Amino acid sequence: MITAKFGGTAITAGNLMRLKEIVTPFHKCIVVSAVGKEYQTDTKTTDLLISYYHNPSKDIWCKIADKYRRLVKVNAIDVDIDALLADARSRATLYSLQYCASLGEELSARVVAAFFQAQFLEAEQVVRFNSDGNLNVEETYSNIRQSVQGAHLYVMGGFYGGCATGVRQTFSRGGSDVSGAIVAAATDSTLYENWTDVCGVCVANPVAVSDVATVLQMSYGEMYLLSLAGAEVLHPDAVAPVESKGIPIKIGNFMQPHGKSTLVSHCPSRSKLLSIAETVTGGRVVTTVLHSYPNWKMARLISRFLRQNTGKIDYFGKSMEVSSLKLYNIEFNDNVVRLTTDVSIINSLYKSICETR
């Protein structure tokens, strides 16, 4: 039994047909995100819904509706999309912002269920939150087990569930990954597939770094640390549910389903350099390096990079004026290095480590 989650890029008019190359009779449940970006400057459905909640204008709703109408028309899906959209709009501003934001996933699940002629599973009825906002794991798992029965394929929207107060609640952004992991754990799936638009877990963001390597296997702990460091491949809260059941996670590219992918399990990575990720806070760039080198060797690699880019290093931890970048701080912990600079160094640091290791 396989549970698969598809991100927003897969749930677009031009990409939806690719899912039929992936979904097999072994798939029991599919979890989907709201329709994502169809081109680089496009706006995600969830962001449009958030805007609509604050400013319920016709123009914003038309942008949302157009995404789903194209999804249905291009893929010849037998569903009354106008009725679904009218119903969703009637509820969009009646409740909370979280309720409105969840409608993209609900619409996607209803449309994709019709696309596969599968059973629609309403997340609000099975994924349950307590009044304090925490997931009610026992009730959620029980609901899912009772609902996912027989030989049917089920399709559920990710990102949200029902709350004891009577309104919907969402996970944090990217929470469809968590929904997929919960379904996989509740159904004791043999595999949890997380389909994105990149070929597995890349060492660095392939948009920022060219010819970047893919980590073919890693442990749950390594995946969790990588997610916390800023890698936008998997939500960090999606690791624990499947780790507790020993269910491996396959992270692959839905555009290249037979290409490179990453398998997350109890087995640690064979790659020494696991991840280089960047986050920007207050105008400063924090670069986090996850690795399995001996700490002395990583310190040597980082020192060499800094010498090449700063001219000299007096000592770590002190702000210094340099020729090409300003280094504000550097921290060495077990298998983690964090550098705080004034400019992006992800591309040059990745190349430097790969060339000198």
Side-chain angles (χ1 to χ4, degrees):
M1 184 187 298
I2 300 172
T3 296
K5 178 262 175 179
F6 291 93
T9 307
I11 313 300
T12 54
N15 289 327
L16 187 64
M17 193 60 68
R18 297 176 186 270
L19 273 60
K20 289 198 171 179
E21 301 176 22
I22 296 172
V23 177
T24 71
F26 295 105
H27 286 81
K28 187 66 175 177
C29 192
I30 297 173
V31 176
V32 295
S33 297
V35 172
K37 289 186 177 184
E38 298 182 65
Y39 46 89
Q40 187 62 37
T41 57
D42 194 14
T43 303
K44 294 180 178 180
T45 300
T46 303
D47 292 318
L48 289 172
L49 284 165
I50 291 170
S51 297
Y52 185 78
Y53 182 81
H54 294 296
N55 174 28
S57 70
K58 180 179 179 180
D59 288 343
I60 296 176
W61 186 261
C62 283
K63 292 178 181 179
I64 297 167
D66 285 348
K67 287 177 178 290
Y68 286 94
R69 287 196 179 102
R70 283 197 302 275
L71 184 66
V72 168
K73 183 177 181 179
V74 170
N75 295 281
I77 302 173
D78 184 15
V79 66
D80 189 346
I81 189 60
D82 289 332
L84 290 179
L85 287 167
D87 176 59
R89 187 177 186 181
S90 70
R91 295 180 279 129
T93 56
L94 288 180
Y95 306 105
S96 64
L97 174 60
Q98 292 189 57
Y99 188 100
C100 186
S102 74
L103 291 173
E105 272 74 13
E106 179 191 332
L107 285 167
S108 289
R110 290 185 182 277
V111 171
V112 174
F115 177 67
F116 280 105
Q117 296 183 333
Q119 298 290 317
F120 167 69
L121 183 62
E122 174 52 75
E124 182 178 1
Q125 296 176 1
V126 294
V127 179
R128 303 297 297 173
F129 292 89
N130 295 319
S131 56
D132 61 4
N134 293 318
L135 181 72
N136 187 321
V137 177
E138 184 176 346
E139 182 180 358
T140 295
Y141 281 26
S142 176
N143 290 342
I144 293 172
R145 290 191 191 102
Q146 291 176 24
S147 300
V148 179
Q149 298 285 343
H152 302 293
L153 173 66
Y154 291 83
V155 180
M156 187 185 86
F159 182 49
Y160 75 98
C163 187
T165 59
V167 296
R168 290 181 181 179
Q169 180 161 328
T170 62
F171 296 103
S172 57
R173 288 298 290 267
S176 291
D177 293 344
V178 185
S179 299
I182 289 169
V183 172
T187 58
D188 292 317
S189 294
T190 54
L191 180 66
Y192 171 39
E193 296 176 341
N194 194 286
W195 294 99
T196 69
D197 54 1
V198 295
C199 294
V201 178
C202 296
V203 175
N205 186 342
V207 176
V209 180
S210 59
D211 299 323
V212 65
T214 297
V215 182
L216 299 180
Q217 70 176 53
M218 62 173 52
S219 68
Y220 297 111
E222 290 168 339
M223 183 72 250
Y224 179 72
L225 289 175
L226 188 151
S227 299
L228 288 179
E232 299 179 355
V233 178
L234 190 73
H235 194 292
D237 292 342
V239 176
V242 288
E243 181 182 12
S244 66
K245 295 287 189 80
I247 301 168
I249 309 169
K250 176 183 177 180
I251 300 172
N253 187 344
F254 72 91
M255 296 183 185
Q256 302 175 40
H258 303 296
K260 287 184 178 179
S261 62
T262 300
L263 189 68
V264 183
S265 66
H266 287 297
C267 300
S269 174
R270 295 179 181 178
S271 303
K272 295 296 185 182
L273 181 61
L274 297 177
S275 169
I276 302 179
E278 277 189 347
T279 57
V280 180
T281 305
R284 295 186 176 185
V285 182
V286 179
T287 305
T288 303
V289 182
L290 301 181
H291 65 94
S292 58
Y293 287 106
N295 286 332
W296 65 266
K297 185 167 185 178
M298 179 50 65
R300 180 178 294 178
L301 293 172
I302 296 294
S303 297
R304 177 167 179 166
F305 165 77
L306 292 173
R307 282 196 300 271
Q308 292 171 344
N309 288 273
T310 65
K312 68 175 183 177
I313 305 173
D314 295 322
Y315 51 88
F316 293 139
K318 180 179 179 181
S319 176
M320 60 184 77
E321 296 292 338
V322 296
S323 58
S324 58
L325 62 88
K326 176 180 283 188
L327 176 67
Y328 296 103
N329 188 43
I330 185 168
E331 302 173 21
F332 280 89
N333 298 306
D334 289 339
N335 303 116
V336 181
V337 181
R338 289 187 178 87
L339 300 95
T340 305
T341 59
D342 62 333
V343 294
S344 172
I345 61 172
I346 187 170
N347 190 51
S348 55
L349 180 58
Y350 173 75
K351 295 186 182 305
S352 176
I353 292 176
C354 290
E355 289 171 358
T356 59
R357 57 185 175 178

